[in-house]
Amino acid sequence: MDLTLSPHELAFQSEVRAFIRDNLPADIKRKVEDGLRLVKDDMVRWQKLLGVRGWMAPHWPEKYGGTGWSPVERYLFEEELALGGCPRVAPFGINMVGPVIIEFGSEAHKRRFLPRILSSDDWWCQGYSEPEAGSDLAALKTRAETDGDDYLVNGVKTWTTFAHYADWIFCLVRTGSKAKKQEGISFLLIDMRADGIVIRPIRTFDGGDEINEVSFTDVRVPKDNLIGREGQGWTIAKFLLGYERTGIAGVARSKKQMQRLRTIAAREMCGGRPLIEDPKFRDKVAAVEIELMALEYTNLRIVSAENAGQAPGPESSLLKFRGTEIQQAITELLLEAVGYYALPYAPDALADGWNESPIGPEYAAPLAPHYFNWRKASIYAGTNEIQKNIIAKMILEM
Amino acid sequence: MDFTLNDEQRLLQESAERYLAKEYPFAVRRRLLATDLGFNRETWKAFADLGWLGIGIPEEFGGIGGSGVETAVLMEAFGAVLVGEPYLATCVLGVGVVRLASSPVQKKVLLPKVATGDLLLAFAFAEPGSRYELSRVATRARKNGSGFVLDGRKAVVFDAAAADTFIVAARTAGGVADSDGITLFLVEADAKGLTRRDYPTVDGRRASEVTLKGVAVDADAIVGAVDSGLPVIEWVIDHAIAAVTAEAVGIMSALNRQTLEYLKTRRQFGRPLANFQVLQHRMVDMFAACELSKSMAYMAAVRAGDRDADSRAKAVSAAKVQIGKAGRFVGQQAVQLHGGMGMTDELPVGHYFKRLTMIDTLFGDVDFHLRRFAGG
C-alpha cells in the first residue's frame, strides 16, 4: 500500500499538466472555471487538441487509438483535466458508442466511425430513454421494421443531450416482438440528417436548453448500421453500463468545485467576518470535504484493484450515486454561500461576451442555475435509485 | 500509487480470519464477558505465538516491525469477531509510546516481553475533566531528588486491571491546559500510592479509574524528554484512531453480513424481507457506508505514518468522522432490520452495535474530529 505517486507517475502527471498549460485555450478555461455555458465549438476545439496529441480515447485498445495507459494513469489523466479547467470530453462518442463499435461492430463499422470519433468530426448523441421508458428502459417502443435492405424507424426518444449538435445518434430500437421484453431490442446507428427526424428542444427549469426530444417518422436506415445482431441490443446496453467508469465519481471535478467554494466563502462576509470562518458553515464544508475524501479513496481502491488485473464491476454504481450526491451537496453550499446574490437571474451573464457589469459579485450569477441544473445528476445515467437496485442485485444478491 | 494489500499483508489477513473464525466463535466472547479481566490469557499467549503482539515492535526488540497497515489488517479481523483481548491498550497505545519515545534501555526491557505476551501495558492519558483534549492534564509530577512524585486522577484507563506497567501522562510544568509541560512516566502497577477502581464497560471491555497519591518514580521512569510529552501522546492517539477505525470496519462488515443473511431468510407477507425494495436500498446504504469507511480506515493506517503532524492529524480525523457517522448508521440500521430479534442479547447484533457506538467515543467523536479537521 503506497498512497504516493511513483516517479514514473509523477512524470506522467507533469507531462499531462504541461500539455494542458500549453494547449488549453484561455477563453475555454475561463468559461469552465467560472461556470459559464460552453457551446459546441468550445468543446470541439478542445477535443481536437486532445485528438491531435493522441489522448482522446485513453481507454480504447491501442490498435484503435488508445494510449495503453494503466488504470492509474488514466485516473491521473482525468484528474489533471478536471483540475486544469478543461471541459469534460463529450462522452457519447468516446465512452459510449466507440467502445460498443470496438466490441460488437464489423471491420467496416470500425473504419467508418472510429477515426471520426477520435478526431471529433462526428458528434454523437444517445437514443435510449423514451416518454414511456425511463428507468424501465426495456419498455422502449421505438420500432425498426425491415423494408428491403433498410429499416424504417418510428418512435420518440427523449432527454437527448446535445441532439441539436449531433451528426449521429445511437439508438436502442425494437426489431422483434419477443415474450421477454429485453429480447427484441437492437442497437442501431442513425444519421441525424436523415429525413423524418425532428428535434424539439426541451427547456429545463434552470434556463438551460441542452436536452431534446427526437422523433422518428418513417426514417430509412440502412441495415448496415445495425451493430451486433438483431436482438443483441440489451446485451450491448449492459456492456456499456459496465464500461470505463473510473471517472464516474467525478472526484477531481468536485475537488475543483470545493476550491471554488472556499474562495467564494472567503470573500463573502457573515457577521462581519468571512463566511468561511463561521463555525457552522465551516463545519458543513469540512463534512462534505471528508465525504469527498472517502469517495476519492474508494475510487482509488477500485482503480488499484483494476491495476492489479481485477475487472471493474458493479461497484461503479456506488461511485455514481455517492459522486452525484456529493456534487449536489457542493452546488447547494455554493448557492448558500452567496446569500441574496443567488437571486438575480441574468441568463446572458452565463454566456460568453456579456459586456455589462455583473449584478453582485462576479462569481454569483451561475450559482443558482448550476444548483438547479445539477439536480439532473442523480437522475441521468441510471437514477441513483436504479444504481442501488443494481448493487442490491449484483453485489448483495438480494 | 497502489491502494491494495501486498502478499504478506493478504496472508496475515487470511490467517487471522481463518484462526479467529475457528477459535473465536461468539460463545467465546459470551464466556469472557463473565470473567474478571474480560479476556483469556491463553488466547493472549496464542496471539503472541502467531506473532501478532509483535507487529508494531521493531525486529531488534523481538517484534516483526510491521507498519500501520498490518495493524489495521489485524484490527479489522478482531472487529469481525469482537476480540476482547487488550490489543489496543498494550500493542497499540503502550507499544506506540515506548517505540516512539522510550530510551533504548526501556525498549529493551519492555518490548521483548510484550512480544512474547509476558507484559501488559496501559496508557493513562485521559482525566475526569479532560474530555478529548489531550493537553488538559491536571495530574502533577513534582521533582523529588532525581525522580518525581505523581498525584492525580486518570479516567477510563483501558484494561488497567490486567496491566503490569502503566504509562502515565503528568504535568511537570505550566498550566492545566498548556501544550508544554507534560511528561510521560512508567509506573509499575503495584507502585505504592496507585489505586484502581475497576469496572466493565458497556461494550464488554474492562477499564479503570486510576488514582495516584504520592507515587514516587525514579528518573529512569521518564519516557522521552521532560515537558515534551504532548506530541508523543498525539502521535500515539492518532495511531490508535487508525487502529480503531479498522476495527470498526471489521464490525460493520460483520453486521452487514449478518443483517443481509437475516433479510434473505426471514419471511414476512409471504416472501423474504430481502425482496422489499425499501430494505434493499437500506442495505445498499449500509454497504456503501462500510466500503467508504474501509477506504478511509486504510488511508488513515498509511497516513498515520506521515512525518508532518498536521497532515497526519487531518487524515486521521477525517477517517474518524467517516467511521463515527457510518458506524452509527450501520449499527442502528442493523438492529432495526433485525426487528425484535435485534433487541435481544442472544444475537451478536447488539454486541457489535455497542462496540461500534463506543468506538465513536474513543479518542474524540464526530464533532470533535470534524472541528479538528476544519482547523478550529
Side-chain angles (χ1 to χ4, degrees), chain A residues 222-378:
Chain A
K223 283 201 162 177
D224 278 349
N225 290 9
L226 178 75
I227 300 293
R229 296 184 316 275
E230 274 195 10
Q232 211 182 356
W234 196 252
T235 307
I236 295 176
K238 279 198 293 192
F239 161 82
L240 236 184
L241 211 64
Y243 196 85
E244 179 54 23
R245 308 189 99 189
T246 49
I248 198 168
V251 168
R253 275 172 210 282
S254 287
K255 277 191 188 169
K256 183 96 176 162
Q257 290 296 90
M258 287 301 293
Q259 285 170 8
R260 187 160 169 240
L261 173 63
R262 288 189 164 283
T263 310
I264 291 173
R267 289 171 65 180
E268 289 292 316
M269 298 301 281
C270 172
R273 56 182 179 173
L275 177 63
I276 195 66
E277 291 172 17
D278 175 75
K280 180 104 199 247
F281 193 81
R282 194 193 56 194
D283 283 358
K284 285 204 278 188
V285 172
V288 175
E289 218 166 11
I290 290 170
E291 289 177 4
L292 181 56
M293 269 175 93
L295 181 72
E296 178 181 16
Y297 283 102
T298 302
N299 201 350
L300 287 173
R301 203 147 61 85
I302 294 171
V303 170
S304 290
E306 233 183 293
N307 227 27
Q310 231 164 298
E315 55 271 16
S316 60
S317 289
L318 189 162
L319 299 181
K320 197 273 173 175
F321 82 74
R322 265 322 272 154
T324 52
E325 283 169 357
I326 290 167
Q327 290 155 26
Q328 291 177 335
I330 299 170
T331 65
E332 221 172 299
L333 288 172
L334 280 163
L335 175 79
E336 280 179 33
V338 291
Y340 273 124
Y341 279 112
L343 271 85
Y345 180 51
D348 294 340
L350 305 186
D352 208 16
W354 196 53
N355 292 325
E356 291 177 42
S357 63
I359 311 167
E362 76 282 1
Y363 47 74
L367 298 181
H370 186 59
Y371 164 73
F372 292 124
N373 178 267
W374 218 253
R375 301 314 300 171
K376 72 186 178 188
S378 50

Side-chain angles (χ1 to χ4, degrees), chain A residues 62-369:
Chain A
E62 277 178 89
K63 68 183 273 210
Y64 298 115
T67 53
W69 293 337
S70 69
V72 170
E73 286 167 328
R74 296 208 299 269
Y75 183 87
L76 293 174
F77 176 68
E78 286 183 40
E79 183 169 44
E80 286 307 314
L81 292 191
L83 295 177
C86 307
R88 216 165 77 100
V89 169
F92 313 104
I94 287 296
N95 288 334
M96 295 176 165
V97 76
V100 165
I101 291 171
I102 290 169
E103 182 77 14
F104 298 95
S106 65
E107 277 312 307
H109 289 139
K110 290 173 190 168
R111 275 195 304 275
R112 180 173 174 200
F113 293 111
L114 297 182
R116 295 182 60 82
I117 292 175
L118 284 172
S119 65
S120 299
D121 286 326
D122 282 342
W123 188 288
W124 284 83
C125 63
Q126 180 186 31
Y128 272 30
S129 293
E130 297 183 6
E132 299 300 321
S135 289
D136 184 10
L137 184 58
L140 61 92
K141 291 199 189 96
T142 297
R143 295 199 62 83
E145 270 157 347
T146 297
D147 186 57
D149 289 338
D150 300 329
Y151 291 113
L152 280 184
V153 177
N154 283 282
V156 182
K157 292 291 178 183
T158 194
W159 316 131
T160 316
T161 305
F162 296 136
H164 52 302
Y165 290 169
D167 304 291
W168 287 87
I169 183 168
F170 58 92
C171 286
L172 292 178
V173 295
R174 198 159 286 288
T175 46
S177 46
K178 293 277 166 50
K180 199 160 174 263
K181 62 187 180 182
Q182 283 87 351
E183 283 171 10
I185 294 172
S186 300
F187 195 95
L188 194 60
L189 313 181
I190 303 176
D191 188 334
M192 286 295 278
R193 283 171 295 260
D195 291 337
I197 295 181
V198 176
I199 301 171
R200 186 179 72 80
I202 301 172
R203 201 167 169 79
T204 43
F205 67 79
D206 59 299
D209 49 10
E210 292 181 350
I211 58 176
N212 305 272
E213 185 181 87
V214 183
S215 65
F216 301 81
T217 310
D218 288 334
V219 176
R220 190 165 285 281
V221 181
K223 283 201 162 177
D224 278 349
N225 290 9
L226 178 75
I227 300 293
R229 296 184 316 275
E230 274 195 10
Q232 211 182 356
W234 196 252
T235 307
I236 295 176
K238 279 198 293 192
F239 161 82
L240 236 184
L241 211 64
Y243 196 85
E244 179 54 23
R245 308 189 99 189
T246 49
I248 198 168
V251 168
R253 275 172 210 282
S254 287
K255 277 191 188 169
K256 183 96 176 162
Q257 290 296 90
M258 287 301 293
Q259 285 170 8
R260 187 160 169 240
L261 173 63
R262 288 189 164 283
T263 310
I264 291 173
R267 289 171 65 180
E268 289 292 316
M269 298 301 281
C270 172
R273 56 182 179 173
L275 177 63
I276 195 66
E277 291 172 17
D278 175 75
K280 180 104 199 247
F281 193 81
R282 194 193 56 194
D283 283 358
K284 285 204 278 188
V285 172
V288 175
E289 218 166 11
I290 290 170
E291 289 177 4
L292 181 56
M293 269 175 93
L295 181 72
E296 178 181 16
Y297 283 102
T298 302
N299 201 350
L300 287 173
R301 203 147 61 85
I302 294 171
V303 170
S304 290
E306 233 183 293
N307 227 27
Q310 231 164 298
E315 55 271 16
S316 60
S317 289
L318 189 162
L319 299 181
K320 197 273 173 175
F321 82 74
R322 265 322 272 154
T324 52
E325 283 169 357
I326 290 167
Q327 290 155 26
Q328 291 177 335
I330 299 170
T331 65
E332 221 172 299
L333 288 172
L334 280 163
L335 175 79
E336 280 179 33
V338 291
Y340 273 124
Y341 279 112
L343 271 85
Y345 180 51
D348 294 340
L350 305 186
D352 208 16
W354 196 53
N355 292 325
E356 291 177 42
S357 63
I359 311 167
E362 76 282 1
Y363 47 74
L367 298 181

